[in-house]
Amino acid sequence: MLTLLKLLKDGRFHSGEALGAALGVSRSAVWKQLQHLEAELNLPVHKVRGRGYQLASPLVFLSSEQIALYASSLTWPIHIYDSIDSTNAEALRLVEVECATPFLVLAEQQTAGRGRRGRKWISPFAQNVYYSLLLRIENGPRQLEGLSLVVGLAVMQALRESGVQGAALKWPNDVLVGQKKIAGILLELVGDPADICHVVLGIGINVNMQKADEVDQQWTSVQLETGSPVDRNSLVARLCLQLKSYLELHRASGFASLKDEWERGHAWQGRAVSLIAGVSHVDGVVLGVDGQGALRLSVDGVEKIYSGGELSLRLRDDS
């Protein structure tokens, strides 16, 4: 089925006879494969008598060679999969078989993509970026302080370079355009943070997605914001270069050196919010973050600090 898709990726019409000849199957077998393609990958195919079959829009597949052309200074090994359960899960599996770090895992599709707090991350085929960078951490907990916020800065800058000027941060792990989510970040760690550990920086970016009935929150994509399809290889290259730069700054000087820049990019700076932890919540006004990336809230006029992976921030109705 993927071989057929790669024959159709140019967005032009191809006759059933030509497709069958290329695949070594009958025209009826081509028809059956096209039906599976539409049903399983949710990619609409136009069928016109006398002209053949055409994808509703062209596809550009992920390519380590193309990424290298856009980011010639990048030396990270890149593993690309047509379909995988989760790029984060695969990165953690690869480190168990002693792959040299850092390395990058990308996929055209995830069958079990996940976000924070166990949420499902919707991952349609060849439309978005599903990205996991595996790092080795050797210098103790300081190298983990504010790390998810540093990743957010890199994602925001890569999106702005790609034409999404309204991209902004939401503590702790989201990138928004207005009130709509365009990207999310999930960090997962194995090993001893006080000694040597590995952390996978998982990033999902809505790139060319234009429809997603399963998503249960407001969302947008790069294509919806810019009005044009985006070359995902170019976006991945931009993200890699931004991450490389920000990670070097973080390693040398800690999150405190990036704190002010992060606050300038925070969409909800100074806003009235509710901080939710399970069934409880705290109302306050966002003051910013501290030198370790924890949230600073003014609660009844008193500054309080909050951190933790299970916390969620929401705008208050009166803000």
Side-chain angles (χ1 to χ4, degrees):
M1 187 169 64
L2 289 177
T3 303
L4 172 60
L5 185 58
K6 288 172 181 177
L7 293 172
L8 292 168
K9 69 178 183 178
D10 58 10
R12 299 175 180 174
F13 277 103
H14 296 263
S15 70
E17 184 178 0
L19 291 171
L23 295 170
V25 299
S26 67
R27 291 177 63 181
S28 61
V30 169
W31 172 254
K32 289 179 181 178
Q33 285 195 37
L34 285 166
Q35 289 180 307
H36 283 300
L37 189 153
E38 288 190 286
E40 295 180 23
L41 301 184
N42 195 29
L43 291 172
V45 179
H46 296 155
K47 309 169 189 71
V48 178
R49 185 179 298 276
R51 299 190 70 186
Y53 308 102
Q54 176 194 48
L55 285 179
S57 57
L59 290 178
V60 176
F61 288 92
L62 294 168
S63 160
S64 55
E65 291 80 10
Q66 285 298 312
I67 294 166
L69 285 176
Y70 289 120
S72 58
S73 63
L74 197 68
T75 58
W76 301 336
I78 302 175
H79 305 265
I80 299 177
Y81 299 86
D82 288 329
S83 182
I84 201 167
D85 55 350
S86 156
T87 57
N88 268 25
E90 178 64 10
L92 293 172
R93 286 191 290 264
L94 288 173
V95 80
E96 288 181 358
V97 296
E98 300 184 353
C99 280
T101 60
F103 62 82
L104 175 60
V105 176
L106 301 169
E108 298 288 2
Q109 179 187 46
Q110 295 181 123
T111 58
R114 57 187 188 269
R116 292 180 65 234
R117 303 194 302 281
R119 286 180 173 173
K120 182 179 180 182
W121 187 268
I122 305 302
S123 308
F125 187 87
Q127 294 184 42
N128 299 330
V129 164
Y130 318 118
Y131 179 116
S132 295
L133 178 66
L134 198 291
L135 303 176
R136 177 183 169 96
I137 304 292
E138 299 181 351
N139 298 320
R142 180 176 174 275
Q143 290 299 309
L144 297 170
E145 289 177 353
L147 186 56
S148 66
L149 278 65
V150 174
V151 176
L153 275 170
V155 174
M156 179 183 72
Q157 296 296 357
L159 286 169
R160 289 180 176 180
E161 287 183 350
S162 300
V164 186
Q165 296 304 318
L169 302 164
K170 176 198 163 191
W171 189 90
N173 290 329
D174 290 341
V175 182
L176 308 177
V177 180
Q179 301 303 319
K180 298 177 180 179
K181 186 170 179 175
I182 194 170
I185 297 155
L186 177 66
L187 270 57
E188 295 185 276
L189 183 146
V190 291
D192 183 358
D195 185 18
I196 296 175
C197 65
H198 291 91
V199 60
V200 57
L201 313 181
I203 301 167
I205 303 176
N206 299 332
V207 183
N208 292 320
M209 186 165 71
Q210 298 184 72
K211 181 181 178 182
D213 296 332
E214 298 176 75
V215 181
D216 60 358
Q217 59 184 304
Q218 291 188 79
W219 65 274
T220 188
S221 68
V222 181
Q223 181 170 349
L224 289 174
E225 293 299 319
T226 62
S228 301
V230 177
D231 181 348
R232 292 175 301 138
N233 291 303
S234 173
L235 177 54
V236 167
R238 287 190 173 112
L239 177 56
C240 287
L241 294 175
Q242 289 288 351
L243 262 177
K244 184 173 182 289
S245 175
Y246 276 108
L247 289 172
E248 288 172 355
L249 286 170
H250 181 252
R251 190 178 303 114
S253 306
F255 177 72
S257 64
L258 295 165
K259 170 183 173 297
D260 290 346
E261 182 180 355
W262 192 92
E263 289 181 341
R264 288 194 298 272
H266 192 205
W268 293 359
Q269 197 75 5
R271 303 289 296 275
V273 298
S274 292
L275 185 67
I276 300 167
V279 296
S280 63
H281 74 275
V282 175
D283 291 338
V285 175
V286 176
L287 299 175
V289 292
D290 69 8
Q292 289 75 48
L295 182 69
R296 297 165 51 233
L297 278 187
S298 175
V299 180
D300 296 327
V302 178
E303 180 174 328
K304 295 189 177 182
I305 306 296
Y306 298 92
S307 64
E310 298 306 311
L311 298 176
S312 179
L313 206 59
R314 297 286 184 270
L315 282 178
R316 288 225 310 270
D317 292 341
D318 59 358
S319 69

